Amino acid sequence: MKTSSKNLLLRTAAIVCAAAPLYFSSATSEAAERTFRMESYGVRPGADSLSVRIDRALRSIRASLKKGDRAVVKFQRGTYRFRPDESVVRELYISNHDQPVQHPTAFCIEAWENITVDGSGAEFLCTGRMLPFAISKSRNVTLRHLSIDFDVPH
């Protein structure tokens, strides 16, 4: 092989190697991380019917996502009070429990993939007999920067 042919071959290989990351990154960059501020959906410390508002917000958020997108659901710092009479009720079968199958639930994450709940230091305070979170049929769920407590523990 002549020197000019070798140089051409090396330059072509270098261009292909340099362009490959651009091609593969554009093919996978369709998925994005999107942040959703819950106050935009009426979910704020002190608001009533928080569970219903959160449930409605999650449906809206899911409808706006593209396949593969990662959702970050961000709360304001503060205390969020959840009550059984203002919660969503789900039929759940919990092992080692002799409770009814209908459970008042503060926050339901059902059939989600790639979601992060970021509390920004918020406290989720539950009243009465209820589940703070129910996560089912989901993958890659992260809960961070929040605390969960009950005003009267059972």
Side-chain angles (χ1 to χ4, degrees), residues 4-61:
S4 63
S5 297
K6 284 182 183 176
N7 286 342
L8 180 62
L9 182 61
L10 289 173
R11 277 186 269 162
T12 304
I15 291 170
V16 169
C17 290
L22 296 174
Y23 172 77
F24 288 112
S25 68
S26 68
T28 58
S29 67
E30 291 178 28
E33 181 172 288
R34 298 190 47 207
T35 300
F36 299 90
R37 302 204 173 277
M38 294 305 283
E39 65 267 19
S40 317
Y41 298 92
V43 179
R44 294 180 180 81
D48 61 347
S49 302
L50 284 170
S51 298
V52 174
R53 291 172 190 259
I54 290 169
D55 199 54
R56 199 175 305 136
L58 288 178
R59 290 176 204 215
S60 176
I61 290 166

Side-chain angles (χ1 to χ4, degrees), residues 1-152:
M1 207 183 252
K2 294 183 183 177
T3 304
S4 63
S5 297
K6 284 182 183 176
N7 286 342
L8 180 62
L9 182 61
L10 289 173
R11 277 186 269 162
T12 304
I15 291 170
V16 169
C17 290
L22 296 174
Y23 172 77
F24 288 112
S25 68
S26 68
T28 58
S29 67
E30 291 178 28
E33 181 172 288
R34 298 190 47 207
T35 300
F36 299 90
R37 302 204 173 277
M38 294 305 283
E39 65 267 19
S40 317
Y41 298 92
V43 179
R44 294 180 180 81
D48 61 347
S49 302
L50 284 170
S51 298
V52 174
R53 291 172 190 259
I54 290 169
D55 199 54
R56 199 175 305 136
L58 288 178
R59 290 176 204 215
S60 176
I61 290 166
R62 186 191 324 251
S64 72
L65 294 173
K66 295 178 183 167
K67 184 173 175 65
D69 281 354
R70 293 175 306 282
V72 177
V73 176
K74 198 160 180 74
F75 286 80
Q76 291 176 321
R77 183 181 197 97
T79 301
Y80 295 80
R81 297 184 179 276
F82 297 92
R83 298 181 7 198
D85 61 329
E86 296 180 340
S87 68
V88 293
V89 177
R90 294 293 192 264
E91 184 174 308
L92 300 167
Y93 297 91
I94 302 172
S95 64
N96 297 326
H97 280 70
D98 58 353
Q99 299 170 356
V101 295
Q102 299 293 324
H103 294 276
T105 307
F107 201 120
C108 295
I109 298 175
E110 299 171 304
W112 272 88
E113 191 167 329
N114 303 321
I115 183 171
T116 297
V117 177
D118 186 340
S120 302
E123 178 184 31
F124 288 5
L125 186 62
C126 298
T127 299
R129 296 187 74 122
M130 64 184 306
L131 297 174
F133 277 87
I135 301 170
S136 66
K137 302 175 190 159
S138 299
R139 296 175 18 163
N140 298 327
V141 176
T142 303
L143 307 177
R144 68 180 180 204
H145 307 133
L146 60 90
S147 65
I148 301 168
D149 205 353
F150 287 82
D151 60 354
V152 180

